[in-house]
Amino acid sequence: MLMHQGLGLETFNDLPRRKAVHALYECCCSVAWASRVADGRSYRSRADLFSTADAELAEMSDSDIDSLASTLPEPGKVCAAMDSDTRGALVSAASAYDERFGFPYVTSVMFGPDGFEPRDILVDLGHRLDNDDLTERKIMRNELAEINHVRLNRLLGPEGGWPPY
């Protein structure tokens, strides 16, 4: 869960740099990424913020991206209500993925507001195991960008932020 939620773009733009970096770090566990995105303020729109966030993510090295991916929860450890057979299948499939590509499986589906179906993750894992390395690296980066979007949306909250109390 994010500490910084529903700030609104104007409040985010007005945060001291240190607080902005901290808030952004909650969205993407990279101090370098958070620092560069914070330094890009003042953003005129969400689209500008998202564009900068995506551009900074695209500039990260594969090694930094792999480190970032390793901070995300593993599919088999996300849902306590999963039965043991499903959990075992997810753990095995994610392990096969990691062995195949050398980096952890990443999917934005696990971060959506409506939750996810473990079966959908298994199907996606199965399809993605058939990809070549370059294709999968691009997909993984796109999934990380999508996760950042979900988290940035939570950080900003509704347009204009929540009303002050």
Side-chain angles (χ1 to χ4, degrees):
M1 181 155 164
L2 300 175
M3 266 179 61
H4 300 89
Q5 294 187 48
L7 298 179
L9 186 61
E10 185 176 323
T11 300
F12 170 72
N13 281 333
D14 291 341
L15 288 175
R17 182 182 186 278
R18 180 181 54 80
K19 289 185 179 184
V21 170
H22 184 261
L24 288 164
Y25 182 82
E26 291 179 359
C27 297
C28 178
C29 296
S30 165
V31 173
W33 176 90
S35 296
R36 289 191 299 268
V37 174
D39 290 343
R41 293 174 305 150
S42 183
Y43 294 104
R44 292 181 311 232
S45 68
R46 287 172 181 252
D48 288 344
L49 171 59
F50 284 29
S51 177
T52 299
D54 291 348
E56 292 301 338
L57 188 71
E59 292 297 318
M60 292 175 74
S61 70
D62 285 346
S63 175
D64 288 340
I65 288 291
D66 294 351
S67 293
L68 177 59
S70 71
T71 68
L72 298 173
E74 297 172 34
K77 296 181 179 177
V78 173
C79 181
M82 240 185 284
D83 65 77
S84 62
D85 289 341
T86 303
R87 184 178 314 283
L90 276 172
V91 168
S92 293
S95 178
Y97 178 97
D98 199 350
E99 287 176 27
R100 162 78 173 82
F101 294 109
F103 50 83
Y105 171 75
V106 174
T107 180
S108 59
V109 172
M110 294 187 337
F111 296 86
D114 300 325
F116 68 94
E117 289 295 324
R119 184 177 176 353
D120 295 338
I121 303 293
L122 282 169
V123 169
D124 185 55
L125 265 162
H127 290 302
R128 287 174 56 183
L129 280 165
D130 291 335
N131 290 334
D132 62 81
D133 291 356
L134 186 59
T135 299
E136 189 53 33
R137 173 83 48 198
K138 287 179 186 175
I139 291 171
M140 189 260 268
R141 282 179 174 266
N142 288 339
E143 291 294 316
L144 285 169
E146 197 57 39
I147 291 167
N148 284 348
H149 288 201
V150 168
R151 290 175 170 176
L152 286 167
N153 272 320
R154 278 192 214 137
L155 169 72
L156 297 177
E159 285 292 329
W162 297 103
Y165 293 99

